[in-house]
Amino acid sequence: QLQLRQSGGGSVQAGGSLKLSCTAPVFISNICGMDWFRQASGKQREWVSSITTDSTDGSTTYADSVKGRFTISKDKAKGTVYLQMNSLKPEDTAMYYCKIRYGRSCRYDYWGQGTQVTVSS
């Protein structure tokens, strides 16, 4: 029922940049990971990027399609995750969704409502 709040989407020319943000509307305890997914029209949802949020261990991972162009970052205390997108391509056009994983064994999650990113040639 609870949805993360997303912003930063929009339309941009190829080669441009956008920065997405995703914030929990309430305090979430024991956040263990944050993720971005995207779903192009008529296509299946795909994973884009993840970041771990442990105090003693953190790492980022990216889909091959965005590696070197996108950067994920977070503010765990604020329950916020960002996705800086550079050198955007038309194939990046999709609805982007964020997810925050939390709780024991990282088995619970919240999702954002999605924000549209459109990249034109």
Side-chain angles (χ1 to χ4, degrees):
Q1 294 181 1
L2 175 67
Q3 286 190 313
L4 306 175
R5 297 175 180 175
Q6 298 186 221
S7 63
S11 298
V12 65
Q13 293 278 89
S17 299
L18 288 172
K19 186 174 184 178
L20 307 182
S21 64
C22 169
T23 302
V26 298
F27 174 77
I28 301 176
S29 181
N30 301 313
I31 293 174
C32 56
M34 299 176 170
D35 316 275
W36 287 97
F37 294 81
R38 67 186 182 187
Q39 186 170 24
S41 181
K43 302 296 188 297
Q44 195 167 44
R45 183 183 64 190
E46 67 172 331
W47 169 78
V48 175
S49 181
S50 295
I51 184 169
T52 60
T53 57
D54 289 347
S55 297
T56 58
D57 183 30
S59 62
T60 59
T61 53
Y62 300 91
D64 289 341
S65 59
V66 306
K67 194 173 299 181
R69 300 187 298 118
F70 290 10
T71 302
I72 187 171
S73 61
K74 53 80 181 177
D75 186 331
K76 184 179 179 180
K78 296 180 179 179
T80 301
V81 60
Y82 306 93
L83 186 67
Q84 177 66 51
M85 305 182 294
N86 298 324
S87 302
L88 283 163
K89 305 174 181 179
E91 50 263 46
D92 294 319
T93 295
M95 185 73 73
Y96 283 71
Y97 299 91
C98 58
K99 181 174 76 174
I100 294 180
R101 292 175 280 114
Y102 69 100
R104 188 175 182 179
S105 301
C106 207
R107 59 184 175 178
Y108 307 108
D109 58 64
Y110 291 111
W111 286 84
Q113 83 284 1
T115 187
Q116 180 67 39
V117 171
T118 301
V119 184
S120 60
S121 301

